[in-house]
Amino acid sequence: MTTTGAHQDATGDTTRTWLWWGRRRSIALDVGIGLASAVECAVEGAYFADRSGTPTALAVVFGLLVGSVLTVRRRWPIAVVLVAVAITPAQMGYLLTVVGLYTLAASDVPRRIIGTLTGMSLVATLVVVYVEMEKDIRDMPREEYVDPGAWFIPTMSVFVAVAMTLPPILFGLYIGARRRLMESLRERADSLEQELSLLADRAEERAEWARTEERTRIAREMHDVVAHRVSLMVVHAAALQAVALKDPQKAVKNAALVGDMGRQALTELREMLGVLRAGAEGERKAAVPLAAVGAAAAAAAAAAGAGDGAGSASIADVEVLVGQSRQAGMVVEFAVQGEVREYAPEVEQTAFRVVQEALTNVHKHAAGAKVRVRLAHRDAEVAMQVENGAPDAADGAAHAPDLPSGGNGLVGMRERVLALGGVFVSGPTDVGGFRVSAVLPAK
C-alpha cells in the first residue's frame, strides 16, 4: 500500500514509526495472514514429509518459516513470489502464492517484472499439477482405472494453473491502479488547495493595492476640489487685511469675495463628503469595491470643480480660473492658440485641473509674480503651460499669505497626465520663476 506524505502526516502514523507499514491495522492484517500461511505450510509440510520420507519435524519447521514470509509481503513482494514459486513442487503455500501474486500486482513494481514472475508461477503450477494428476491416474487400481483421454490432464492442468494465478494478478492490478488514482487525486487536491491559498493571498494583495490607489485618488480629488478655493480665500483675506484701513470699499469687495468662495468651498466639501459617506455605506451593504467610491469622488470633483460651481470642469472654464486669480490681485496673461474644440471629458477635466493647480501654486509660493497661461489646440493633442516669473520681493512680502503646502499638487498633476498617456514637465526657469507644462492626447 502506498500513501502520500501529507496523508500520513494527517493520520499521525508514519512509515518510520511502523517500519514499512503505514497503519496499525496493516500490521495486524499482515501478521494474521502470515500466521495463517505458516500454519498451512506446516500442515502441508507434514503431508510432504509422509510422501517424500523426510523428517516430519524438519518439514514442519520449514513450512512455518516459509509461510511466515508472507508477513513481509508489502516490503519485499518479489521475494515472497519467488519463495512461493520455489516451494510449488512440494505442493505447499497456496495462500502464499495467491496473496503474494496479489501484493506483487498491486505494488509499484515494474510491469515487466510482474509479468515475468507471473509467468514463472503459472508454469510452475502447471507443471506440478500436470505431474501430480498424471501420477494419481497412473497409481489408480486397475479395477478403478478409467482412461480420461489425452486432453484431460493438459486441460485440467491449464485450468488449475490459470485459476491459481490469473484472478489474484487481475485483482491486484485493479487495486494498484485504484490506489495510484486516489493518490493522484489526493496530491491534486493538495496542489489545488495550495494554488487557492496563493490566489487568495494575491487577491488580498491586489485588493490592498486597489484600496491604496483609490485612497490616493480620493485624496487627489478632494485636494483639487477644495484647495484652489481655500487658497484664493487666504489670498483675498491677506489682501483684505492690507487694505482694510486704506480702502474700505475695496475691503468690502474682498470680504464679499471671501464669503462667496468660503460658501462654495463648504458646498463642494459637503458634496464630496456626502458622496464618500454614501459610497462607504453602499460598500458595507453590497460589498461594493473601493473603486466605486473613488469613481463617485471623481464624479463629485468634476461636478464641483467648475469656476462658477456648476457643470463639469472643462477647458472652457480655464478663463474663469484666470479671472478669479486676477480678482485676487495676480497679474495673469492668458493666450489661446489654435481652433478651440471639445475633447473627451477626462481630457477636459485634466487640462482644467493642471491649470487650476498651477495657479494655486503661484498663489502659495510666488505671490506678486506675473503669470502667463497658454493653451494650444493642435491636431492630435492639447497643450497647456503656466509660467510665472520671479516673485516681486517687496510686493510678495507684503501680500504673501501663509499657505500650507502638502507637496501633493505636482504629484497629482503628473499622475493625471500620465494616466491619459500625456507628457508632464515642471521645474524652475532661468529667471527664477517656475513653469508647468502638460500635453494631452486628443481622444
Side-chain angles (χ1 to χ4, degrees), residues 57-271:
L58 180 61
V60 171
V61 172
F62 177 76
L64 290 173
L65 293 176
V66 170
S68 63
V69 172
L70 200 56
T71 307
V72 298
R73 65 186 182 92
R74 300 174 193 262
R75 181 68 172 177
W76 296 292
I78 297 177
V80 172
V81 175
L82 289 175
V83 171
V85 172
I87 64 174
T88 301
Q91 300 182 33
M92 297 170 58
Y94 294 104
L95 181 61
L96 179 66
T97 300
V98 172
V99 177
L101 289 174
Y102 160 78
T103 305
L104 177 70
S107 65
D108 294 330
V109 175
R111 293 297 177 87
R112 63 180 183 275
I113 297 179
I114 295 176
T116 301
L117 294 178
T118 302
M120 292 172 59
S121 178
L122 179 66
V123 171
T125 305
L126 176 64
V127 171
V128 171
V129 172
Y130 183 89
V131 171
E132 289 298 324
M133 289 185 67
E134 186 178 18
K135 180 181 178 182
D136 290 342
I137 292 176
R138 187 174 61 249
D139 294 342
M140 289 178 63
R142 183 175 296 275
E143 61 274 8
E144 298 178 2
Y145 178 78
V146 177
D147 186 9
W151 57 271
F152 179 75
I153 295 177
T155 303
M156 291 303 297
S157 300
V158 171
F159 177 78
V160 173
V162 171
M164 287 284 295
T165 306
L166 193 58
I169 286 294
L170 293 179
F171 187 62
L173 291 174
Y174 165 74
I175 294 298
R178 185 175 178 274
R179 287 173 184 165
R180 285 187 287 272
L181 176 61
M182 295 301 294
E183 183 177 357
S184 175
L185 292 176
R186 189 180 298 112
E187 292 177 353
R188 187 174 181 182
D190 292 340
S191 64
L192 287 176
E193 184 178 357
Q194 294 176 359
E195 290 178 4
L196 288 176
S197 178
L198 290 176
L199 289 176
D201 294 341
R202 292 177 182 175
E204 182 63 25
E205 292 176 359
R206 288 195 295 268
E208 184 62 29
W209 175 83
R211 285 191 290 268
T212 303
E213 289 294 318
E214 290 304 323
R215 290 190 188 101
T216 303
R217 180 182 176 187
I218 292 170
R220 184 172 64 243
E221 298 295 345
M222 295 186 68
H223 176 273
D224 291 340
V225 167
V226 179
H228 180 71
R229 294 196 186 280
V230 173
S231 299
L232 288 179
M233 289 171 58
V234 175
V235 171
H236 281 291
L240 176 62
Q241 183 179 7
V243 301
L245 299 178
K246 299 179 182 179
D247 192 347
Q249 185 176 1
K250 187 175 181 180
V252 171
K253 182 179 179 182
N254 286 342
L257 287 174
V258 171
D260 291 340
M261 291 183 180
R263 284 187 291 271
Q264 291 176 0
L266 287 175
T267 300
E268 294 170 1
L269 183 59
R270 191 178 295 112
E271 291 176 357

Side-chain angles (χ1 to χ4, degrees), residues 4-21:
T4 62
H7 179 65
Q8 292 173 357
D9 293 340
T11 58
D13 295 331
T14 62
T15 55
R16 181 176 298 177
T17 303
W18 301 105
L19 299 178
W20 55 83
W21 291 286

Side-chain angles (χ1 to χ4, degrees), residues 361-372:
N361 287 340
V362 175
H363 285 294
K364 290 180 179 180
H365 308 293
K370 296 182 179 180
V371 183
R372 290 191 297 272

